Amino acid sequence: MKQVISLRDLEEMLRNGKDVRVLPPDALVTPSARDFLRELENPSSHRTSALEVTAPAASKPVTSKSPESEIEAYFNSPAVHELKLQLCEIGRRLWQREYVDGNGGNIAIRVGEDIALCTPTLVSKGFMKPEDMCLVDLEGNQLAGAKKRTSEILMHLQIMKRQPRAVATVHCHPPYSTGFAVAGVQPPTCMIPEYEVFSSVAIAPYRTPGTPEMGKLVADLVDKHNTILMANHGVVAWSHNDVEDAYFKMEILEAYCRTVLVASQLGHAPKTMTPAQLQDLLKIKQSLGIPDPRFGLKECELCDNEGWRPGVTCAVDHEYRKDSDGARDGGDAEAEALVQAITEQIMRRADK
């Protein structure tokens, strides 16, 4: 199997003083790693990531305990402004793809040890401006920003506290994915490689949005999953790379759920990959630093779609099924006779 080079591998090579431009000629380079190599070749195209935002070199890193003047200066710094622009861009994409409606959805980026940048409440994600953004500590207290922070920030912060690798989170309501969440149905597996490599999905029970209870139920799942279907609500995803990567999780999940629903309507059982083929994809996934509860399972334990029902079969309720003599089992005999008589009249008229 060819060697897979991820962004994490490149960062490790740099830490060890190795030249990341010298890679095996047949290596498979992941998209994020490829972007990283391009940025090294062309520094002017570099985008600021949440992990690179720090306070000015002459001072110590800004935290929630820093003086108000330092927090305000940090909040208005060029580096944080770049991240505000990224929040606006991701919000615009969510709105254009119809993953949000009204003022729904919210986004957050961790920008320090115990502080995060987030979107405001009651503002359409498609029309946000950098000056709308808010800065909060990991308890949800607002530290800076003219507008009020999103009412669902506690969920984002609970994810970040439970999963230290989470540098960005995105929550929205993509219709196909949310349909699975409303039905309480786990998307089936072993169908599309991109979904298997980049997504790891679980379902959290419903609680009132914005409450600590909702955040805890989601946070309980993020050690082994990067995308959570929130029952009767929507979807939230986290990334260990950046906010765009968290958004990509939404696109991948939504496209997958839509494709699965289309496939289920074609009258044929969906074809699935073999456990051995899935095992190859899980190796790639693990090399990318993406969590999945199936790591380490035997092949015979993979591709289990036992709970998946591709469509609902219309069936007569048991009490009205025919018995062995062809008669209805239970039900109202008089009503049945009336229905039969009306049906015969309609058929006779049709024959005239």
Side-chain angles (χ1 to χ4, degrees), residues 180 183 185-188 260-261 264 270 305-315:
F180 275 80
V185 175
Q186 183 87 19
V260 166
L261 286 174
S264 70
N305 290 327
E306 197 171 301
W308 164 242
R309 297 178 61 208
V312 177
T313 303
C314 187

Side-chain angles (χ1 to χ4, degrees), residues 313-333:
T313 303
C314 187
V316 179
D317 190 76
H318 174 73
E319 72 170 303
Y320 292 108
R321 291 177 183 166
K322 292 182 178 179
D323 60 22
S324 58
D325 297 325
R328 294 284 183 177
D329 180 16
D332 189 330

